[in-house]
Every structure is written in structure tokens, then in C-alpha cells.
Amino acid sequence: MKKAYSKPVATKIAFSYQEQIVASQALGEQWEVSCGSGVCGHLQSSGCSWLTPGTAGVRVRGIR
Amino acid sequence: MGNGLGCFQVASHMISGRSSRNQTDVPEVIERATVTADALQISRLECGGYRFKYTQGSAIPCVITDPQYNVLKVCSRGSGSQVERLLQFLVRTAYECQFARQGVVSLHAACVELGDGAVCFTGDSGVGKSTRAQAWVDGVGAQLISGDRPAIRLEAACNIACGVPWDGKEQILRDVERPLKAVLEVRRAPFTRLRRLTPEQAYAVLIRQSFIPMWDPDTAALAMVNVKRLCRITPVYRLFCGPDAEAARETRRILFDCPEEIQEELPDMKIREGFVLRNVADEHMVMPTGENVGKFGGAVVLSDVAAFAFEQLRRPVSREDLLSLILAEYDVDAETATADLDALLAQFRELGLLKD
């Protein structure tokens, strides 16, 4: 039996802060965040390695 | 009947443990370079040869070869099925290097013989190669030559599919050879269709599924040339079909009785590398990965049908075949589906997700 059809749509959600990308991932996933907004500066200033606030244990690595 | 590979007997002896083995005398190894591929560690020796061993564990068991992989020295300690199993992978890898230098392609495929010919089912792991091959056994009376990696000997007029003394879970170890009639790249579908691939598309499919010893540039180059030769002689088709015997019968009919029904070549599309589809809180969400994270600056939410299309586009597929897959999966008329698909593909292109 065929599935019900609905119009295929792709909707882009732009993130203001890179933290939102990180927060949407499962705990424990490794993420690389490239340089861009102020977030990158934050990562850079702490040696490209920092724990995301509110997501204990998730280490994020920034790359330029 | 011999398989003409010129090494079957030797390999059989080695794997079954009847060869004279160096039980404890491990040659002194002076490594020039070492690469690691999965569980295998390959070291280049001062003499130009190679040592194959497992990444974990000691130097034994190992296989040591000359630079052309013509002479294999097997070093092991003890005996028994566990030692044999450990050795099998090492010996197989060394032999597959030798194959590359002898004009033989080791192809990741399930291979069946039917009548006086052979057909290979290839594709990524889990796509259903073995299932399709078994459907040919059940549905059209074919017999397996190899369940996982037949050797394809390249010849001027017709390539030859050969059984080998190693295999995957099926453990088909047959010493037979048959002219290879076709290689079929398996795609799951509720309909049966064969589509001819361009030489470039065929090469892209087969190079992913062939043994290429990247630690040895000269032999790797030979292996890649072999794959190109394989594509030139043997037709490669994309096979859309189900897993059952009826699909096998229909595939056989098109392939051998009605080749005029084989669809013409068409350009492929594919989702670019660096995007993954995740189900987040019951929503289909495309997330950028790696360097794309900063460049893309967001994510893409897909509707159900859009997510289905995205999944199909993770491997190269033509617009027409993608449309057929949507029509087979969903309750929709062709006109609506065509217009919607074209609009979706335009969106994917605009977002930079699609590679034509």
C-alpha cells in the first residue's frame, strides 16, 4: 500500500549562533565549528576547545 | 575445471594450512613505511616487499611478500581454526594485490552463474546484493559463484568471473569460471528496471567496490586501470528491483531476452558530501557537517516526501528514476509528482545541497 503524499518542501533555518547547532546534537557528539560569528572568537580565545554551556560533557572544537 | 587465476591451488593450500609454513622463524623486518587500513597493518620492507599483519596483537601471524606479491611467506604460530581465520584475511589481501598486477579485479559483489555466463550484483554493504543473488538462485535456477568478492579476470573479448577460496558470510568457495555477462549495481525498488550507465558512471560505481591497495601506488594504479578495462568490456547497469524471485525472473528476462527494454543512459544527481539527514523531534532535518557547519550557517527542515527524495539522492540517481521511486512509494499522480520534484530539486540546488 502506498503512503500518503504531501508536497515535498525544504525549508532552511538560519542559526544566529553556532551554539544552536551544537545544542541540537546528541550529547557526546564531537563537533567542529568553523570560524564565522563571535562564537568562533570565543572558541579561539579558549584555545579552540571549550565545553558548550548547558550541554555538559560536549566538547566543541573550533577550526579556522 | 580450473579458474585460470594461476593461484587458486596455492591459495587453497595456504588457507587450509597444508602449505609449508614458517612456524616461528619471523624474518627481521626493517620497515620503511607503514599504513593502516582498518584492522590491517601493511609495512613496506627494506627489500621492497610488504608485511601484512593485524593492527592489534603481535607480529605473528603475518604474511610477507616480495615487491610483486609473487612469493608469499606465511608466518604463524600454532594451528587450529582460529589461526586459519586470522591468516585467511592476510593471505587474501596479499593475493588481491597480486591479482591487480595480473589483470584481475577483486570485486565486492555477489556473483551467480546461469547457463554459460555469470552476473555480478554489486553495491554498498547492506543494499541487498546477497539477497538479489539468492533470488536468482531461487527464481531462475542460478548458482552462486561467490557471495562477496569474485575475481574478475580481464580478457580482450570477454571478462571472466572466477570463484575464489575466500568469501563473506555465504562461504561459497567454488573453483569455477564463467564469462561475465553483466555487472548490476543494486538499488532497492518496488519495480524492476535496468538502466545502462555511461563509462564514467560505471567506473564511479566499480571503483568504489574494487580492491585498490592504496599503500602501494604502482599496484593501486594498475588496479584502477583494471577497473577501467572491466567497464569497457562488460556492461554495467543500475538495477532497480525488489528482493524476491519474481523480481529475479523479470531482471533475467530483460537482461537476456529483451535487452531493448534496458533504459538508456541518463545524467545522475547526488547530494553533496558534508550533509546528513537526522530525525530531530519528529522532524527531518538536514544538518551540515565538518567544514560545512560554518559555511552553511543553519539547517534544512524537510517534509516526508522531501526526506525520501534526499535519502535516494545520497547515491547517484537520475531525475527520471527518482520520480519513479516517488511514484512507487507514494499515492500521487505523475503530473503532480513531476512538478513537485522539479521544484524540490530547484530548492536543493539553490541551497547548495545538490551536485549535478
Side-chain angles (χ1 to χ4, degrees):
Chain A
M1 185 168 167
K2 292 186 179 183
K3 295 177 184 171
Y5 181 83
S6 61
K7 188 179 176 69
V9 180
T11 310
K12 181 167 181 178
I13 304 168
F15 291 137
S16 305
Y17 298 100
Q18 297 286 10
E19 283 100 328
Q20 287 178 267
I21 297 176
V22 174
S24 69
Q25 302 307 305
L27 288 179
E29 273 197 36
Q30 285 263 338
W31 269 85
E32 292 184 339
V33 181
S34 60
C35 194
S37 62
V39 173
C40 186
H42 178 72
L43 292 170
Q44 286 268 317
S45 66
S46 57
C48 293
S49 180
W50 122 109
L51 286 171
T52 314
T55 52
V58 180
R59 185 166 290 279
V60 178
R61 191 152 48 90
I63 55 169
R64 184 178 283 278
Chain B
M1 184 182 343
N3 61 10
L5 290 174
C7 59
F8 186 99
Q9 294 302 325
V10 182
S12 295
H13 283 312
M14 286 194 162
I15 288 167
S16 62
R18 289 192 296 273
S19 69
S20 60
R21 249 191 228 150
N22 196 332
Q23 292 290 316
T24 53
D25 177 22
V26 182
E28 190 174 342
V29 175
I30 305 168
E31 296 173 8
R32 290 210 311 217
T34 297
V35 295
T36 302
D38 297 329
L40 191 66
Q41 187 183 70
I42 307 107
S43 302
R44 188 82 192 263
L45 310 178
E46 272 299 317
C47 64
Y50 293 89
R51 182 189 68 176
F52 298 79
K53 70 176 278 290
Y54 286 93
T55 309
Q56 305 293 328
S58 65
I60 298 175
C62 72
V63 172
I64 291 175
T65 75
D66 68 328
Q68 284 75 44
Y69 308 96
N70 288 329
V71 179
L72 272 59
K73 186 169 187 177
V74 179
C75 307
S76 69
R77 189 180 287 134
S79 59
S81 60
Q82 191 179 354
V83 173
E84 300 302 333
R85 262 200 311 277
L86 288 170
L87 275 174
Q88 186 177 29
F89 179 49
L90 302 177
V91 171
R92 187 195 88 193
T93 307
Y95 265 105
E96 288 181 329
C97 295
Q98 191 189 88
F99 282 0
R101 303 184 75 91
Q102 293 178 342
V104 176
V105 175
S106 183
L107 184 65
H108 179 218
C111 181
V112 297
E113 63 168 311
L114 183 66
D116 63 350
V119 174
C120 279
F121 299 87
T122 192
D124 293 342
S125 295
V127 77
K129 299 180 291 296
S130 302
T131 309
R132 268 66 183 175
Q134 187 59 45
W136 272 53
V137 172
D138 299 337
V140 300
Q143 200 174 354
L144 280 164
I145 289 180
S146 175
D148 191 54
R149 45 199 313 126
I152 313 300
R153 193 176 74 239
L154 306 179
E155 295 194 352
C158 179
N159 297 323
I160 308 294
C162 305
V164 288
W166 48 75
D167 199 24
K169 61 180 182 294
E170 288 81 7
Q171 286 295 292
I172 308 295
L173 311 173
R174 295 184 60 211
D175 184 10
V176 296
E177 62 177 57
R178 290 286 182 273
L180 180 59
K181 301 294 187 184
V183 177
L184 308 179
E185 185 212 6
V186 174
R187 298 291 176 91
R188 293 178 189 180
F191 54 83
T192 302
R193 174 181 297 168
L194 284 164
R195 182 172 300 288
R196 197 180 307 279
L197 298 183
T198 65
E200 294 76 22
Q201 289 170 333
Y203 182 73
V205 168
L206 296 191
I207 200 75
R208 276 173 59 89
Q209 307 299 339
S210 299
F211 176 81
I212 310 287
M214 293 307 291
W215 58 84
D216 176 355
D218 293 340
T219 306
L222 287 171
M224 293 167 82
V225 169
N226 289 340
V227 174
K228 196 150 270 185
R229 286 175 58 199
L230 168 55
C231 299
R232 275 206 295 266
I233 303 294
T234 301
V236 181
Y237 305 116
R238 185 167 295 153
L239 167 65
F240 296 89
C241 76
D244 52 15
E246 181 53 39
R249 282 190 285 273
E250 178 65 357
T251 304
R252 193 215 64 79
R253 185 191 69 78
I254 295 171
L255 190 59
F256 293 125
D257 299 340
C258 304
E260 68 277 7
E261 292 183 24
I262 297 173
Q263 307 284 307
E264 64 184 12
E265 304 154 352
L266 284 175
D268 282 334
M269 305 169 291
K270 184 179 181 295
I271 292 296
R272 289 182 185 283
E273 298 299 323
F275 293 97
V276 294
L277 182 60
R278 292 280 186 267
N279 196 304
V280 181
D282 288 334
E283 278 198 303
H284 308 289
M285 198 173 283
V286 176
M287 304 295 296
T289 63
E291 291 184 358
N292 272 347
V293 175
K295 287 183 196 162
F296 199 70
V300 179
V301 178
L302 301 180
S303 66
D304 286 345
V305 180
F308 176 82
F310 186 95
E311 272 300 319
Q312 301 303 321
L313 284 162
R314 288 166 62 85
R315 280 177 291 167
V317 66
S318 68
R319 170 189 170 277
E320 284 66 18
D321 290 333
L322 178 55
L323 179 61
S324 297
L325 289 163
I326 291 172
L327 287 169
E329 185 80 7
Y330 293 97
D331 185 14
V332 59
D333 64 86
E335 192 180 349
T336 304
T338 304
D340 287 352
L341 176 59
D342 286 341
L344 179 70
L345 294 173
Q347 271 189 300
F348 280 176
R349 286 191 185 92
E350 195 178 329
L351 290 166
L353 298 175
L354 201 61
K355 182 176 161 187
D356 286 297

